[in-house]
Amino acid sequence: MLTPLTALLSYAPPALPRSGVVARSLSMGYSRWRRAVLPGLLTASITASTAAAQETLPPLPRLAVDSFPPSARETVSRVRRDAVTRAGDAAAAGAFGRMLQAWEHWEAAHQAYARAQALAPKTFEWHYLDAVVLQRLARHEAAAERLKAAVASAPDFKPARVKLADALFEAGRLDESRVLFEALAGDPATEPMGVFGLGRIAAAEKRHEAAVEHLNRAVELFPEWGAAHYALALSFRALGRRDEAQQALERHAEYGARWPALEDPVLMAVSTMREDPHAILQRGIKLAESGNLDGAIAAHEAALAGDAGLTRAHANLISLYGRKGDWAKADEHYAAAVRLGGDIGDAHYDYGVMLGLQQKWQQAADAYGKALAANPLHARAQNNLGELLERQSQPDAALEAYRRAVEVQPLFRLARFNVGRMLMARGTPAEAIVELQKIVEPRDAEAPRYLFALAAAYVRTGRKEDAVKWAVDAKQLAIQSGQHELAAAIERDLARLK
Amino acid sequence: MAADVGLKFTHVNGATGQYYIAEQMGAGAALFDYDNDGDLDVFLVQGGSLGAPSAKAIDQQPSSRLFRNDVAGGKLRFTDVTDLAGVGLRTYGMGAAAADYDGDGDVDLFVTSFGPDTLYRNNGNGTFTDVTRSAGVSDDFWSTSAAFADYDRDGYLDLFVANYLDFSVASNRVCQDALGARDYCSPRVYRPVPDRLYRNRGDGTFANVTEAAGISRTDGAGLGVVAGDYNRDGWLDWYVANDANPNQLWINKGDGTFRDEGMISGSAVNAAGNPEGSMGIASGDFDADGDEDIFITNIIAETFVLYENDGKGNLEDVRSRVGLAAPTAAMTGFGTDWFDYDNDGWLDLFVANGAVNVVESQRGQPSPFRMRNQLFRNTGGRRFVESSADAGPAFARAEIGRAAAFGDVDNDGDVDVLVTNNSGPVRLLRNNQAGTNKSLQIRLEQPGPNRFAHGAWVGVERTKANTLWRRVKTDGSYLSASDPRLHFGLASSEVSGIVVQWPDGQRERFAASKSMRSLTLRRGSGTR
């Protein structure tokens, strides 16, 4: 399942840094990839052409073209016709498979790929794509065999190596899987997947200390990896470390289905076989995730041109246009999302953020209120509402909103920071210290200001020594993370303190 | 079989082309001995019409039906006694739960609905009285499965009701499938509503303790519920299967309150940390190690999951390891339970399957949601093998399976399965698979209001083999109530003794005799 775009685009406290490893994923198009990775294989593909060979070929799947949307029928018919008329052509059978896979006809796609593999046993793509389909069907043993053939054809294609390791793990072949994950862990581009796999293997073998070590490395490389936090929680639990397990679960709840990306041009080419609104929307979401705002907006608009009832597209466009500063378009899509209804808590929230950017404070507060009516557990809406209440000089109500945000999402550091700030402003620095102590870890780019706030709270309680210690830590961390203005401000305060 | 033995019933889902999500969820069933004559009778929950412009008058709607079992000499025969019994309910029904909540020695009936729930008190004379309001269990949330269990160990059976979504005909959304065609919406489109926990006061009424017990802390679009003691502390916990939301494991703290340990137990989400579309639950000791494991049916492409219990309430997802992932990837499962269909001593699985979104190969056909049911044979507590193909033509038929209630309907010593189909006929799958393997059926009786010892944990000790453990219950599966009698397949092993842990935690041992096939164990007649 894809992460909802609104969760990725919405205003949020400074995000944990994304791993540089992940950003260095393969970034070449499918055609370029074919030229670069498979130089000899395409020409070396063996095409069976004798009538005798064709008689033993796996049959092409039957298909009711009428069941496809009218706009897709012509393309589907053409691809199928090609596969039937060019009965000995692996590429035609494979293209048919890709079309079926794109439309999620898994069994039929598997049949078409089986024929393509029989016709061209050395072509990487048909083994690989068939394996992806088989994994979708939970046939991990069969998928592993196809992936072995794929990796033999294209040993440098990293997504296939990751999938092979996964398939072997799922098939219970842990020793074979371990060898592959170890190799993946040694390559910077695939290290997150490698250490995550090694962690899962260790957990499956009840070696939970080792699992924790691997999984901690995985979340270090990709801090927003919900599945890795979840696996960590289970290993902590098995070790009796319930507090750490609980913290890991909270991070899992915060990050959900986010997963480190490893670009896969072969699979991307499958998704472009479809031109229906849903498929275009999915491509738009991927473009947004990769930071291509204009491309994302164009894809979303194209999806809506095909189907104006896609609430998700309207909701996503609120943020996308908001980030471009095109308020009128954002307004238009907000109105459409509300009109269509459904799960629009995030749409209200995104609209609130956009209104806040325009300094329309009261309207922003109304939007957050609607977000909370749709989803009372919307912690970011609570926090932002708190900020607006603070702006309206309602400190008690603001503190209450921040507290609710923290209650819903205990690891929401910005909200807890706000609780700490409000407690200091109230003249209760000792209570503020209790809150701020909870957000000093991890020592990431967010941390310097939290540490600095903690130092300030200690000053208010008269504990100068503690204040200096935290201020020094804050300054060092600010310098490390390139926050030089903050570092200078801390230095000035430190000089006064000393 | 069904119609040919008198079970003439076809579920009506009232579909009008508006794709109301409620249409897809029924229908429920109960196997219970309402007339105390020693055989299982059948209650079938009916749907009806939903918001059709020309809705029929209430009294013209089809109603839920009660069929009396008149089995004689192994020959099954059912008689429709609905009108006589007064249970011809005409709400848009969902599921059923059955137990003697008032402790008067006969089994009562709770019916969940898309709309108000109904509690029928069994009058003991073949008739029932609707006591919903006076008992304090009226609720308008869309309810699905329900379970009776004595969670506070006060001797009276309490009631947990799983509630689903905040959906109404007026709030119906338009959703499309991957091909852009109109389809039923995902449950994510609607907000989940809180479940309900009712504590039995012992005077025929219930107190709604949902808030006080902590059950309202998380909502989850509940579809299945079962009571079991997953951390083996002697207190019954609740496990709730939620659709597209994390499942909940409500651990009983022993003080009337619960905490949700679904996530920390490892049984709330899949290995990737994502919630699944969970429907039915089978709770039982599949590996004969003395604790209750949990099997959950999910929506297509997710695969069904088996959570293996380590005896402390830590549950491990072993679906791939035991061979249950691949054969279930293409299925959407609902009703399910553990039962030893071949009497070899190992608990097998039955699953009633039926899609909620269009099955591609059936696109364009009427009711394109049909799937075949599945049977999985447990091969020694480590691996499951699908045995549907060897289980008769009933397993080749594709229908829209929903509820599955389990029990020895013909009293021949093996477990049969009653399956309902959404918008289709009920099926009774009579078990002829047990062969020459021996079996033992146990019924418990104790003084006090929980006469049939609901919640008791019973172990049959065998020479040279693991003890077989079963819990007295009627809950689990999906929208279903099953036979509370315990069934133990024995293969060729001998029973050396029987241990009963009564619902209040006290243990009692009973001697075994070689010839026994069916027995009633009365509290106090064994040894402490």
Side-chain angles (χ1 to χ4, degrees):
Chain A
M1 187 181 61
L2 287 162
T3 307
L5 179 64
T6 45
L8 297 173
L9 296 184
S10 301
Y11 170 79
L16 294 166
R18 283 180 184 272
S19 164
V21 170
V22 175
R24 286 196 302 276
S25 55
L26 298 170
S27 56
M28 59 179 81
Y30 179 57
S31 307
R32 198 174 139 215
W33 173 82
R34 282 169 64 108
R35 286 197 301 276
V37 181
L38 300 175
L41 294 172
L42 292 173
T43 50
S45 297
I46 297 167
T47 301
S49 58
T50 64
Q54 284 185 31
E55 278 171 18
T56 59
L57 288 172
L60 285 168
R62 297 175 66 176
L63 190 68
V65 176
D66 292 353
S67 67
F68 286 79
S71 60
R73 285 177 198 163
E74 190 184 329
T75 314
V76 173
S77 296
R78 179 174 46 75
V79 176
R80 185 186 60 164
R81 199 167 48 244
D82 281 352
V84 172
T85 54
R86 290 154 51 196
D89 185 345
F96 189 33
R98 285 217 300 260
M99 175 66 76
L100 293 164
Q101 183 179 359
W103 286 98
E104 301 183 5
H105 288 234
W106 307 110
E107 282 292 351
H110 167 55
Q111 282 182 54
Y113 287 139
R115 185 178 176 91
Q117 287 169 87
L119 287 164
K122 290 190 178 174
T123 298
F124 163 83
E125 287 144 295
W126 314 138
H127 292 301
Y128 178 66
L129 292 172
D130 192 22
V132 172
V133 168
L134 287 166
Q135 281 187 303
R136 183 70 162 64
L137 293 167
R139 296 180 201 161
H140 300 292
E141 281 282 1
E145 295 317 309
R146 305 293 191 286
L147 285 162
K148 280 184 175 178
V151 169
S153 294
D156 293 333
F157 188 63
K158 288 166 184 168
R161 290 167 52 212
V162 172
K163 283 185 168 55
L164 174 56
D166 277 338
L168 289 166
F169 174 82
E170 292 295 344
R173 292 156 66 175
L174 300 190
D175 289 338
E176 290 170 81
S177 176
R178 186 189 343 265
V179 171
L180 296 173
F181 278 128
E182 279 168 354
L184 293 167
D187 177 341
T190 54
E191 188 186 355
M193 294 80 173
V195 290
F196 179 56
L198 291 172
R200 291 181 72 197
I201 290 173
E205 293 173 338
K206 316 281 184 208
R207 296 183 294 108
H208 290 288
E209 293 282 5
V212 165
E213 199 173 312
H214 291 302
L215 294 167
N216 267 329
R217 176 67 182 150
V219 297
E220 192 182 313
L221 290 165
F222 188 72
E224 299 171 8
W225 200 343
H229 286 295
Y230 179 65
L232 250 182
L234 296 188
S235 281
F236 279 134
R237 179 207 66 188
L239 293 167
R241 293 157 64 177
R242 286 184 74 96
D243 288 349
E244 289 162 283
Q246 202 55 51
Q247 285 172 17
L249 284 178
E250 284 164 7
R251 291 204 170 88
H252 160 260
E254 186 176 357
Y255 300 131
R258 291 181 208 175
W259 201 277
L262 184 63
E263 197 169 310
D264 186 336
V266 180
L267 273 184
M268 186 59 91
V270 171
S271 72
T272 58
M273 302 289 286
R274 274 178 60 176
E275 285 301 329
D276 60 296
H278 290 85
I280 295 169
L281 172 59
Q282 295 305 328
R283 290 209 286 278
I285 289 169
K286 284 200 188 312
L287 287 166
E289 285 170 357
S290 68
N292 182 348
L293 271 189
D294 291 332
I297 288 173
H300 277 74
E301 291 287 12
L304 285 171
D307 180 358
L310 289 172
T311 307
R312 175 95 177 271
H314 287 297
N316 292 349
L317 281 167
I318 301 166
S319 282
L320 290 169
Y321 279 119
R323 287 164 69 183
K324 296 279 287 180
D326 189 341
W327 313 127
K329 294 295 285 182
D331 272 344
E332 186 187 304
H333 288 288
Y334 173 68
V338 170
R339 197 169 52 246
L340 289 167
D343 182 11
I344 54 167
D346 278 335
H348 290 303
Y349 171 78
D350 288 339
Y351 192 58
V353 171
M354 200 199 71
L355 291 165
L357 291 172
Q358 298 172 73
Q359 302 189 352
K360 294 179 177 173
W361 308 121
Q362 189 51 53
Q363 288 158 279
D366 291 345
Y368 293 138
K370 285 175 186 167
L372 289 166
N375 175 11
L377 304 181
H378 204 302
R380 288 169 296 144
Q382 284 286 10
N383 180 70
N384 289 12
L385 187 59
E387 288 176 356
L388 292 176
L389 290 165
E390 207 179 331
R391 185 177 288 279
Q392 292 167 356
S393 303
Q394 298 181 51
D396 290 344
L399 176 60
E400 186 54 32
Y402 293 140
R403 281 195 195 281
R404 276 199 295 267
V406 171
E407 208 175 287
V408 171
Q409 195 176 323
L411 287 183
F412 189 174
R413 293 166 86 195
L414 180 64
R416 199 177 288 281
F417 170 67
N418 287 331
V419 171
R421 276 194 313 103
M422 297 306 294
L423 290 170
M424 271 207 285
R426 242 188 189 193
T428 53
E431 288 176 47
I433 287 170
V434 173
E435 297 298 331
L436 294 168
Q437 285 277 15
K438 293 176 184 169
I439 55 174
V440 296
E441 299 287 348
R443 294 294 174 89
D444 55 10
E446 266 189 82
R449 62 176 169 154
Y450 302 152
L451 269 55
F452 189 30
L454 184 57
Y458 275 118
V459 171
R460 303 271 180 92
T461 57
R463 293 165 63 180
K464 191 174 156 187
E465 210 171 288
D466 288 318
V468 170
K469 174 189 163 299
W470 285 108
V472 168
D473 280 3
K475 191 184 90 175
Q476 282 172 352
L477 202 55
I479 292 168
Q480 280 168 24
S481 53
Q483 299 173 45
H484 299 294
E485 274 183 38
L486 179 60
I490 298 170
E491 178 55 42
R492 283 194 295 278
D493 279 6
L494 261 175
R496 276 202 295 275
L497 264 177
K498 284 171 182 170
Chain B
M1 63 168 64
D4 47 352
V5 293
L7 283 176
K8 289 179 183 162
F9 180 89
T10 296
H11 176 251
V12 176
N13 74 4
T16 58
Q18 293 303 310
Y19 290 83
Y20 299 129
I21 190 170
E23 295 165 358
Q24 286 288 64
M25 306 313 290
L31 280 174
F32 73 127
D33 183 9
Y34 88 97
D35 53 0
N36 261 334
D37 65 349
D39 54 42
L40 292 168
D41 309 296
V42 173
F43 181 75
L44 295 165
V45 184
Q46 186 55 281
S49 61
L50 276 170
S54 57
K56 292 177 183 173
I58 288 289
D59 59 359
Q60 290 179 297
Q61 295 266 354
S63 76
S64 297
R65 310 302 295 176
L66 176 64
F67 296 89
R68 189 184 65 225
N69 188 347
D70 298 324
V71 63
K75 192 174 176 193
L76 277 174
R77 192 69 217 164
F78 288 91
T79 305
D80 187 334
V81 292
T82 311
D83 297 336
L84 195 64
V87 290
L89 191 63
R90 285 189 165 89
T91 62
Y92 194 95
M94 284 285 138
D100 178 18
Y101 82 92
D102 55 358
D104 64 355
D106 47 44
V107 186
D108 311 292
L109 190 62
F110 182 77
V111 187
T112 62
S113 295
F114 174 66
D117 299 327
T118 308
L119 177 62
Y120 284 119
R121 184 169 56 76
N122 190 330
N123 300 322
N125 60 0
T127 69
F128 291 79
T129 302
D130 181 346
V131 295
T132 314
R133 290 207 172 275
S134 60
V137 292
S138 60
D139 190 29
D140 287 344
F141 279 138
W142 176 2
S143 51
T144 54
S145 293
F148 283 104
D150 179 14
Y151 77 88
D152 53 0
R153 303 208 318 200
D154 67 351
Y156 292 94
L157 291 173
D158 311 297
L159 176 63
F160 191 110
V161 183
N163 289 325
Y164 191 41
L165 297 172
D166 182 16
F167 164 81
S168 67
V169 167
S171 68
N172 190 41
R173 304 282 181 204
V174 175
C175 296
Q176 295 167 328
D177 66 11
L179 302 183
R182 182 86 188 263
D183 202 353
Y184 288 98
C185 289
S186 152
R188 288 190 177 88
V189 170
Y190 304 101
R191 262 191 291 180
V193 288
D195 299 328
R196 288 276 181 258
L197 178 60
Y198 298 102
R199 187 176 60 76
N200 190 333
R201 293 193 181 99
D203 60 359
T205 70
F206 291 81
N208 181 349
V209 294
T210 312
E211 290 282 339
I215 297 295
S216 61
R217 278 191 206 118
T218 55
D219 300 343
L223 286 179
V225 58
V226 71
D229 181 9
Y230 298 102
N231 58 355
R232 296 202 303 179
D233 65 351
W235 294 89
L236 286 174
D237 314 304
W238 305 105
Y239 187 87
V240 184
N242 290 317
D243 196 359
N245 284 272
N247 295 333
Q248 293 150 323
L249 174 54
W250 291 106
I251 291 291
N252 190 336
K253 292 158 72 177
D255 60 359
T257 69
F258 295 81
R259 68 173 171 270
D260 180 9
E261 294 209 349
M263 290 299 296
I264 195 85
S265 73
S267 64
V269 293
N270 65 15
N274 298 325
E276 301 188 293
S278 300
M279 263 77 84
I281 310 174
S283 177
D285 183 14
F286 85 94
D287 49 0
D289 65 350
D291 55 40
E292 285 158 287
D293 311 287
I294 300 172
F295 173 77
I296 310 284
T297 55
N298 289 326
I299 199 164
I300 189 168
E302 290 180 337
T303 73
F304 305 162
V305 57
L306 173 57
Y307 290 113
E308 183 181 356
N309 193 342
D310 71 351
K312 298 172 192 159
N314 298 320
L315 294 142
E316 185 185 357
D317 178 344
V318 296
R319 71 183 95 186
S320 289
R321 195 180 82 202
V322 300
L324 285 169
T328 60
M331 298 295 183
T332 293
F334 282 88
T336 185
D337 212 345
W338 299 106
F339 75 126
D340 184 0
Y341 76 84
D342 51 1
N343 283 343
D344 69 347
W346 294 101
L347 285 173
D348 311 297
L349 279 169
F350 170 87
V351 183
N353 291 316
V356 291
N357 298 106
V358 171
V359 175
E360 276 310 325
S361 58
Q362 297 166 23
R363 190 177 285 276
Q365 300 173 19
S367 299
F369 309 101
R370 302 183 303 280
M371 290 178 164
R372 59 179 181 79
N373 299 327
Q374 288 176 295
L375 190 62
F376 296 98
R377 190 165 60 82
N378 182 342
T379 59
R382 289 174 179 275
R383 192 92 189 153
F384 289 83
V385 174
E386 183 170 1
S387 51
S388 316
D390 305 324
F395 285 84
R397 186 192 298 124
E399 294 183 301
I400 309 171
R402 291 293 184 260
F406 296 76
D408 185 359
V409 176
D410 48 8
N411 282 339
D412 66 349
D414 53 33
V415 180
D416 312 294
V417 189
L418 182 78
V419 184
T420 69
N421 289 299
N422 184 280
S423 195
V426 66
R427 306 285 182 189
L428 177 59
L429 308 185
R430 197 171 177 178
N431 187 352
N432 300 314
Q433 296 272 321
T436 56
N437 284 337
K438 292 188 296 183
S439 68
L440 172 62
Q441 196 171 75
I442 296 177
R443 184 172 178 268
L444 299 185
E445 273 193 24
Q446 64 171 1
N450 185 4
R451 178 178 155 192
F452 304 117
H454 230 81
W457 183 232
V458 179
V460 166
E461 298 170 335
R462 298 176 296 168
T463 51
K464 298 177 187 169
N466 286 6
T467 299
L468 299 173
W469 291 95
R470 308 279 186 266
R471 188 171 298 285
V472 179
K473 64 188 183 70
T474 60
D475 57 10
S477 191
Y478 172 76
L479 307 182
S480 305
S482 293
D483 189 351
R485 292 174 297 180
L486 300 174
H487 173 265
F488 297 83
L490 298 171
S492 56
S493 63
E494 299 296 336
V495 175
S496 55
I498 300 166
V499 182
V500 177
Q501 182 177 307
W502 295 98
D504 62 6
Q506 290 204 350
R507 282 203 170 207
E508 190 169 359
R509 175 175 291 278
F510 294 85
S513 76
K514 280 191 175 180
S515 58
M516 63 191 181
R517 277 177 56 87
S518 170
L519 68 157
T520 298
L521 301 178
R522 291 186 177 81
R523 186 165 186 168
S525 60
T527 56
R528 289 274 164 87

